[in-house]
């Protein structure tokens, strides 16, 4: 369902459409962002809460201009801004939606629990009340009254809010009843949502995610596909009288140089066995559901070392389009990529369009590899076996990940020499020697979060010689940073100026104006901030660093506003400067 006034779009249904939107047809609407800014001739402003959303304490607060959220500037680790300011949720376009339990501020009444209702489902006398675009009806628990309200007077109800509020004084019977009804309705909606998600997951597990099947590479935009003249195609030295001309066991020069023979040029003509790409002589394969690694591809026939398995096909895009697609993927929290570098300025993206090769999983001990062949004057990518493979075996290759968007993803291939992360070489004596050389002369990153000390999907600092990596949640980020990014270790924790003194155990750092007395020496002589007791031997463990506070809303227990789920069954990957990932 698309807005006719701006580029916003939503899935149809109460769980996605922003409350306060005006539905015109099944697919067209005016979204809630286009409401009037005035009420009774006066500018409308939100009613902000009197406590910090992070620490739940009062004091001098930084108030959002679009919703009731309030924060201490020190809790956000930022200076008090001048002029209008919006919280991260409002900047990200997060809106209330129908069938959501919220806290509502109406007149001089206290914050009251209510449910946002679809205007079509409220009584007709409520529908006829005066309201504007962006207004939506709410149903007050306890009193069973309705009222039209806007985003500036509601914020989300979270689990355990009832327990927190019931500890307060001056709670009358009506409000106590409202709290009980809100808690029951919240659990009911939660159960419905979990049931829908379970059904969707079960339905998706029956078949692979949708994509458009294509047989050959499709150029996009200004990308050119090269076609050679027959005079430019090399001629091999095979003879037409050979039993298997240009075969894997022959001495065909074209095969050795990874050139595919042309039937009008090769001496063997149609008997040539080096035309696997053109004739699409693919192995018999099947898309399967793997244990813990999403979908995969297995062979239904025995293969011997060096056999051609399949061609990797998809949309052929240029470097500019590749970066745009990666940026859009990050903005939409997409973590799966299917990109392989074809040439210096061309990339194959098998995400929207491709063949079964897109389902091949990564492995640190693969049984296949990618090879670039020249076919009729243009470069194409094929997958070839590295060893003899029995029928019924899953086919894998090493993605050779080059991290895009500063992300490092955990590897779940299960190989004995698994490196633990995509893009990190497998562990062996030769690799350990190479890693030692890399440590002596090449910039490498740590495999654990500098805040919490745990592994998983990490974002990495781009500053020269900085090895630090972090979880998105530990940085209070909703999506990976795009482009060059430097971690908070290099900015003063007080004023954000360039830091001159750094804590060795957490991202806290200080500039020359604030470093006096901020750091002390640990037992092994390393600088540490006040969060780490130098007399405690455990403080030398980087994992002991305290993670930053996380978002809460009217709850006695901290509840993060953003949850970043580590995808255990999926991996993102890429070869050289392109990307390719598995669902």
């Amino acid at each position: 369902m698309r807005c006719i006034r701006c580029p916003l779009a939503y899935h149809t249904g109460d769980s996605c459409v922003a409350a306060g939107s005006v539905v015109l047809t099944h697919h067209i609407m005016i979204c809630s962002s286009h409401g009037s800014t005035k009420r009774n001739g006066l500018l409308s402003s939100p009613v902000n809460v009197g406590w910090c959303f992070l620490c739940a304490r009062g004091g001098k607060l930084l108030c959002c201009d679009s919703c009731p959220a309030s924060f201490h500037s020190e809790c956000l680790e930022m200076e008090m801004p001048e002029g209008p300011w919006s919280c991260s949720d409002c900047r990200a376009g997060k809106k209330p939606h129908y069938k959501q339990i919220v806290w509502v501020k109406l007149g001089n009444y206290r914050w009251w629990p209510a449910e946002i209702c679809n205007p079509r489902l409220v009584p007709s006398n409520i529908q006829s009340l005066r309201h504007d675009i962006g207004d939506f009806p709410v149903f007050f628990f306890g009193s069973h009254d309705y009222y039209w309200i806007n985003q500036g007077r509601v914020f989300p109800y979270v689990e355990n809010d009832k327990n927190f509020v019931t500890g307060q004084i001056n709670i009358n019977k009506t409000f106590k009843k409202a709290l009980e009804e809100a808690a029951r309705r919240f659990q009911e909606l939660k159960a419905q949502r979990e049931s829908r998600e379970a059904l969707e997951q079960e339905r998706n597990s029956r078949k692979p995610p949708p994509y458009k099947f294509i047989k050959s590479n499709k150029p996009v935009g200004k990308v050119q596909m090269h076609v050679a003249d027959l005079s430019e195609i090399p001629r091999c030295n095979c003879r037409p009288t050979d039993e298997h001309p240009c075969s894997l066991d022959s001495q065909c020069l074209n095969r050795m140089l990874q050139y595919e023979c042309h039937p009008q040029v090769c001496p063997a003509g149609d008997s040539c066995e080096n035309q696997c790409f053109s004739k699409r002589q693919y192995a018999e394969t099947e898309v399967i559901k793997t244990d813990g690694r999403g979908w995969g591809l297995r062979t239904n026939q025995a293969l011997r070392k060096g056999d051609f398995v399949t061609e990797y096909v998809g949309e052929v895009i240029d470097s500019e389009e590749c970066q745009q697609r990666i940026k859009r993927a990050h903005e939409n929290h997409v973590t799966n990529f299917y990109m392989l570098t074809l040439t210096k300025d061309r990339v194959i993206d098998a995400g929207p369009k491709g063949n079964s090769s897109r389902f091949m999983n990564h492995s640190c001990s693969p049984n296949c590899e990618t090879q670039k062949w020249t076919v009729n004057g243009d470069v194409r990518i094929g997958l070839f076996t590295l060893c003899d493979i029995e029928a019924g075996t899953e086919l894998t290759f090493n993605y050779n990940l080059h991290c895009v968007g500063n992300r490092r993803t955990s590897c779940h291939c299960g190989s004995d020499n698994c490196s633990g992360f995509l893009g990190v070489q497998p562990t062996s004596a030769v690799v350990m020697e190479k890693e030692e050389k890399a440590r002596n002369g090449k910039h490498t990153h740590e495999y654990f979060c500098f805040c919490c000390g745990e592994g998983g999907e990490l974002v990495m600092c781009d500053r020269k010689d900085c090895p630090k990596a972090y979880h998105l949640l530990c940085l209070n980020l909703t999506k990976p940073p795009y482009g060059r990014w430097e971690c908070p270790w290099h900015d003063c924790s007080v004023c954000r100026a360039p830091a001159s003194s750094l804590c060795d155990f957490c991202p806290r750092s200080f500039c020359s104006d604030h470093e006096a007395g901020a750091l002390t020496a640990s037992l092994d002589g390393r600088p540490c901030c006040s969060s780490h007791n130098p007399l405690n031997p455990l403080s030398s463990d980087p994992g002991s660093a305290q993670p930053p506070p996380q978002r809460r809303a009217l709850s006695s227990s901290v509840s993060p506003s953003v949850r970043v789920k580590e995808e255990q069954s999926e991996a993102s990957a890429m070869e050289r400067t392109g990307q390719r990932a598995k669902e």
Side-chain angles (χ1 to χ4, degrees):
M1 185 177 293
R2 303 178 185 278
C3 178
I4 61 174
R5 296 185 182 179
C6 71
L8 284 182
Y10 297 94
H11 292 124
T12 56
D14 290 347
S15 59
C16 285
V17 174
S21 302
V22 177
V23 178
L24 302 178
T25 70
H26 289 296
H27 302 288
I28 299 176
M29 67 174 181
I30 301 174
C31 74
S32 60
S33 301
H34 302 289
S36 173
T37 58
K38 293 186 178 182
R39 295 287 186 274
N40 299 323
L42 300 175
L43 288 176
S44 176
S45 60
V47 179
N48 296 92
V49 298
W51 62 88
C52 175
F53 262 32
L54 293 177
C55 69
R57 294 193 299 268
K60 186 178 180 180
L61 297 170
L62 174 59
C63 299
C64 177
D65 290 330
S66 303
C67 75
S70 300
F71 304 89
H72 293 123
S73 59
E74 53 269 24
C75 287
L76 294 176
E77 295 186 353
M78 61 177 288
E79 295 290 338
M80 191 70 72
E82 296 182 1
W85 179 84
S86 296
C87 66
S88 58
D89 284 348
C90 292
R91 291 197 300 271
K94 191 173 181 179
K95 301 280 188 179
H97 57 81
Y98 300 119
K99 288 189 177 181
Q100 181 180 9
I101 310 300
V102 293
W103 291 96
V104 180
K105 181 66 172 177
L106 185 62
N108 294 325
Y109 289 97
R110 67 190 308 162
W111 287 96
W112 202 278
E115 179 180 350
I116 300 177
C117 303
N118 192 310
R120 303 191 315 272
L121 305 179
V122 300
S124 57
N125 61 321
I126 303 299
Q127 296 182 27
S128 61
L129 292 177
R130 183 179 179 182
H131 59 275
D132 190 20
I133 299 174
D135 292 344
F136 44 84
V138 293
F139 171 79
F140 289 100
F141 293 108
S143 66
H144 298 178
D145 292 328
Y146 291 87
Y147 199 83
W148 287 87
I149 211 77
N150 58 69
Q151 182 183 358
R153 290 178 175 265
V154 302
F155 68 88
Y157 176 104
V158 298
E159 203 162 8
N160 298 323
D161 271 1
K162 173 181 177 294
N163 298 336
F164 177 76
V165 178
T166 51
Q168 299 178 359
I169 60 174
N170 299 327
I171 295 182
N172 57 34
K173 291 183 179 180
T174 305
F175 187 58
K176 185 176 181 180
K177 180 182 177 182
L179 293 176
E180 294 173 351
E181 291 181 359
R184 285 197 300 269
R185 181 58 174 164
F186 181 87
Q187 293 300 328
E188 179 184 338
L189 293 174
K190 180 182 178 182
Q192 292 177 5
R193 183 175 64 254
E194 291 175 348
S195 177
R196 288 195 304 269
E197 291 174 352
L199 288 174
E200 184 70 19
Q201 185 176 2
E202 194 274 335
R203 187 162 47 247
N204 291 338
S205 65
R206 299 176 189 171
K207 59 181 181 180
Y211 72 99
K212 184 174 181 179
F213 175 80
I214 56 175
K215 295 181 179 180
S216 58
N217 289 328
K218 302 297 181 183
V220 175
K222 301 178 181 179
V223 173
Q224 298 292 324
M225 306 295 286
H226 308 299
V227 178
D229 188 85
L230 291 180
S231 61
E232 300 173 351
I233 298 176
R235 180 185 179 91
C236 68
N237 58 345
C238 297
R239 293 174 295 181
T241 56
D242 292 342
E243 184 176 358
H244 295 285
C246 307
S247 66
L248 182 62
D249 299 323
S250 69
Q251 300 297 316
C252 177
L253 288 176
N254 279 356
R255 181 179 284 274
M256 294 179 183
L257 297 173
Q258 296 184 353
Y259 276 88
E260 183 171 282
C261 294
H262 195 284
Q264 298 181 23
V265 177
C266 180
D270 290 334
S271 300
C272 172
E273 297 186 14
N274 183 27
Q275 298 176 22
C276 298
F277 284 86
S278 300
K279 295 181 179 180
R280 300 194 183 100
Q281 297 173 341
Y282 302 158
E284 295 179 8
T285 58
E286 179 184 4
V287 178
I288 60 169
K289 185 72 172 181
T290 65
D291 184 14
R293 291 179 296 122
W295 296 94
L297 190 70
R298 75 180 175 193
T299 175
N300 290 334
Q301 68 178 75
L303 300 171
R304 63 171 182 161
K305 181 178 180 179
D307 278 350
F308 175 67
V309 178
T310 185
E311 181 183 1
Y312 193 89
V313 302
E315 292 183 324
V316 183
I317 58 178
D318 56 22
S319 300
E320 182 179 354
E321 174 65 18
C322 176
Q323 293 301 320
Q324 288 297 323
R325 292 189 179 191
I326 293 170
K327 182 178 179 180
R328 287 196 296 268
H330 286 173
E331 292 173 348
N332 295 318
H333 307 285
V334 175
T335 58
N336 300 321
F337 295 87
Y338 301 81
M339 298 179 180
L340 285 178
T341 299
L342 184 62
T343 58
K344 181 180 178 181
D345 55 352
R346 293 186 299 167
V347 175
I348 297 178
D349 183 6
K353 300 178 183 178
N355 62 7
S356 59
S357 63
R358 70 198 293 278
F359 292 104
M360 286 183 67
N361 270 316
H362 163 86
S363 176
C364 294
S365 297
N367 51 24
C368 297
E369 67 174 355
T370 56
Q371 295 181 9
K372 293 184 179 180
W373 282 60
T374 302
V375 182
N376 199 21
D378 205 353
V379 179
R380 289 158 74 169
I381 296 178
L383 290 146
F384 293 79
T385 58
L386 290 170
C387 57
D388 294 340
I389 304 175
E390 297 180 357
T393 305
E394 183 185 357
L395 301 173
T396 59
F397 72 99
N398 193 316
Y399 289 171
N400 294 321
L401 173 71
H402 171 80
C403 294
V404 174
N406 307 293
R407 268 193 282 198
R408 168 171 282 155
T409 305
S410 298
C411 176
H412 307 286
C413 70
S415 302
D416 293 337
N417 67 332
C418 179
S419 64
F421 292 90
L422 295 179
V424 180
Q425 292 181 329
T427 55
S428 66
V430 176
V431 170
M432 289 176 65
E433 180 181 352
K434 291 181 178 179
E435 288 179 348
E436 181 64 28
K437 292 180 179 178
R439 280 193 292 269
N440 293 334
K442 187 179 179 180
H443 176 46
T444 58
H445 281 91
E446 296 172 352
Y447 299 159
F448 302 97
C449 176
F450 191 33
C451 286
C452 66
E454 299 294 331
E457 185 173 337
L458 306 172
V459 292
M460 296 171 289
C461 180
D462 287 329
R463 191 183 182 102
K464 185 178 180 182
D465 299 329
C466 178
K468 302 306 178 185
Y470 306 82
H471 292 123
L472 286 174
L473 185 58
C474 290
L475 293 171
N476 281 338
L477 295 178
T478 60
K479 58 185 178 181
Y482 180 74
R484 180 176 175 79
W485 174 78
E486 292 187 0
C487 72
W489 202 33
H490 309 292
D491 296 330
C492 177
S493 300
V494 179
C495 65
R496 296 300 180 192
S500 57
S501 300
L502 313 174
C503 177
D504 265 13
F505 304 108
C506 72
R508 289 184 65 81
S509 56
F510 305 92
C511 65
S512 57
D513 294 334
H514 298 99
E515 64 182 355
L519 299 178
T520 56
S522 64
L523 290 178
D524 55 1
R526 292 190 292 166
C528 64
C529 67
S530 57
S531 300
H532 311 284
N533 185 356
L535 299 179
N536 183 1
L538 293 178
S539 66
S540 61
D541 178 10
S544 65
Q546 297 296 320
Q550 298 172 1
R551 167 80 179 273
R552 66 164 307 203
L554 244 176
S555 173
S556 58
S557 59
V558 174
S559 170
S561 62
V562 179
R563 291 175 173 86
V564 179
K565 178 180 178 183
E566 179 182 353
E567 297 293 346
Q568 296 294 334
S569 64
E570 300 180 353
S572 18
M574 160 175 192
E575 182 183 24
R576 297 182 180 91
T577 59
Q579 286 190 33
R580 191 255 183 225
K582 247 328 279 114
E583 296 176 3

